[in-house]
Amino acid sequence: MSEKNDGANRDATKRSARERLLVERERQKTRDKRRRTLIVASAVVGVLGLATVVGVIAANTGKSGSAKAGPVVAPSGATGKDALAIQVGKPEAKSSLTVWEDFRCPSCKFFEDNYRDVIHDLEAKGLLKVDYHLVTLIDRRMGGSGSLKAANAAACAQDAGKFTAYHDLLFQNQPQEIDDAFGKNTKLLELAGKVDGLDTPEFRACVEDGTHNSWVAKSDGAFTTGQFRGTPTVLLNGKDILADQANQVTPQKLKEQVEAAAKSSGGADAGAEGGKASPSTSSTPGSGTKGGAKASPSASRTGSSASGGSSVGSSAGSSNRSTGGTSGSSSGGSSGESSGN
């Protein structure tokens, strides 16, 4: 009997030991799980803390940059809200084209190469005025300073009454999107030498001093606030001509619409006689635009050359149509680089 009791006790002791082991294992699992949770939580907090520090540094850097940029100096004749537009053409023209563009944006170049001749012709006839708004979207998305410096140089050219010729020349000599050649003042001054009468001590000082940098930054801020789709954004009398895929406004259609608006308002012959268009309206030779070129439904795709039947942005390339602040798509105007980004 005693042996049976001893055996029963031993079995009970073994069971008790196993049970204690199992309980201890469960406790250990719980402790391990709690520790892993704490480690993960600490890592997340660390990452968020780092992100906050980086964000503060970036914000402070931006503030410091704008503080050094100096006062906002609008170029001669700047017009529109906060004087952020450079207008080309006769102010009394019945139709108005609003263009938001970046000198580093490939889609903007494609637009300019295809529409330039038609636009200049309509300006010369007094039927169309164009308000140019300069943007630095590519600088923000890809780094560099070419968008800013080219825009400043274009504003300096406006001061000299040579905006159109220099504006066209910049797009005709646009480097690859990843090449920040316009970030070098020497390149901008070299191109200025090709515009008769532009390369003066005053122009050089304006370019090298970044006289209009703060004005350009303010224009870019207005673009971001406007939540446009990207660059180029092109509005004819307030309507985006590059957004409607079902009814693309080709250069020929643009011409027809502007002429029709002039006739309906009794101003068809407004520019045939009388005053000149804006001093900056002289067309740059060799633009090679063809009236039948198709507009892109959304200038999010970039194009490399202007050919009569190609769509704006139809060529493969990095999307230039994202909105400023956004590097993604936003409602509103059309654009090649997303802003936001």
Side-chain angles (χ1 to χ4, degrees):
M1 186 70 175
S2 172
E3 291 178 359
K4 289 182 180 180
N5 290 336
D6 290 343
N9 289 337
R10 282 195 298 272
D11 290 342
T13 301
K14 289 179 181 178
R15 283 196 302 273
S16 178
R18 284 197 298 270
E19 289 169 358
R20 286 197 301 272
L21 180 59
L22 290 173
V23 169
E24 183 59 30
R25 283 177 178 173
E26 288 303 319
R27 288 177 179 171
Q28 185 63 42
K29 286 180 182 179
T30 301
R31 286 195 293 269
D32 290 344
K33 183 177 181 181
R34 185 181 300 116
R35 185 169 61 251
R36 285 195 300 270
T37 300
L38 290 174
I39 291 172
V40 172
S42 299
V44 170
V45 170
V47 171
L48 291 176
L50 178 60
T52 300
V53 171
V54 171
V56 170
I57 292 174
N60 289 337
T61 301
K63 290 175 184 177
S64 172
S66 28
K68 292 180 181 178
V72 174
V73 179
S76 176
T79 187
K81 183 180 179 182
D82 294 331
L84 293 179
I86 293 177
Q87 188 172 97
V88 177
K90 295 178 67 175
E92 63 270 25
K94 300 302 178 182
S95 290
S96 176
L97 197 68
T98 301
V99 180
W100 295 82
E101 58 188 4
D102 183 328
F103 286 109
R104 289 180 68 188
C105 158
S107 289
C108 299
K109 172 178 170 57
F110 201 82
F111 166 77
E112 288 290 340
D113 288 348
N114 278 276
Y115 288 76
R116 181 182 297 122
D117 286 351
V118 168
I119 289 173
H120 287 335
D121 180 59
L122 294 170
E123 289 168 347
K125 291 177 179 177
L127 304 181
L128 179 70
K129 58 179 177 282
V130 183
D131 288 333
Y132 289 97
H133 296 263
L134 306 181
V135 178
T136 61
L137 184 56
I138 305 297
D139 284 359
R140 287 187 279 116
R141 289 190 63 192
M142 304 189 68
S145 59
S147 300
L148 172 63
K149 290 191 174 183
N152 172 68
C156 295
Q158 169 67 11
D159 290 337
K162 305 284 184 180
F163 174 78
T164 297
Y166 191 63
H167 163 275
D168 292 353
L169 193 65
L170 286 172
F171 277 115
Q172 289 167 347
N173 290 271
Q174 184 189 80
Q176 293 294 313
E177 187 179 17
I178 59 173
D179 179 2
D180 193 32
F182 285 168
K184 300 179 178 63
N185 288 334
T186 51
K187 179 63 175 178
L188 299 170
L189 294 172
E190 173 193 328
L191 291 174
K194 299 181 180 182
V195 177
D196 187 37
L198 179 58
D199 189 6
T200 63
E202 293 78 14
F203 175 80
R204 284 177 167 266
C206 183
V207 170
E208 291 168 350
D209 294 343
T211 299
H212 300 297
N213 280 358
S214 293
W215 175 83
V216 174
K218 189 172 183 179
S219 176
D220 186 65
F223 173 78
T224 301
T225 301
Q227 296 186 322
F228 298 109
R229 286 190 296 111
T231 53
T233 287
V234 184
L235 311 174
L236 176 61
N237 298 324
K239 182 179 180 181
D240 187 346
I241 70 171
L242 302 181
D244 188 354
Q245 298 184 23
N247 186 29
Q248 296 179 343
V249 179
T250 63
Q252 180 60 33
K253 286 183 179 180
L254 173 64
K255 180 175 183 291
E256 292 170 357
Q257 290 181 17
V258 170
E259 290 177 341
K263 288 179 181 178
S264 66
S265 63
D269 299 321
E273 298 177 4
K276 289 182 177 181
S278 165
S280 298
T281 56
S282 56
S283 173
T284 303
S287 59
T289 304
K290 296 186 180 180
K294 293 174 77 176
S296 162
S298 78
S300 345
R301 309 184 94 175
T302 61
S304 56
S305 64
S307 63
S310 37
S311 300
V312 173
S314 62
S315 297
S318 64
S319 170
N320 250 7
R321 288 214 164 209
S322 328
T323 46
T326 90
S327 193
S329 60
S330 58
S331 60
S334 106
S335 191
E337 288 306 321
S338 65
S339 44
N341 318 38

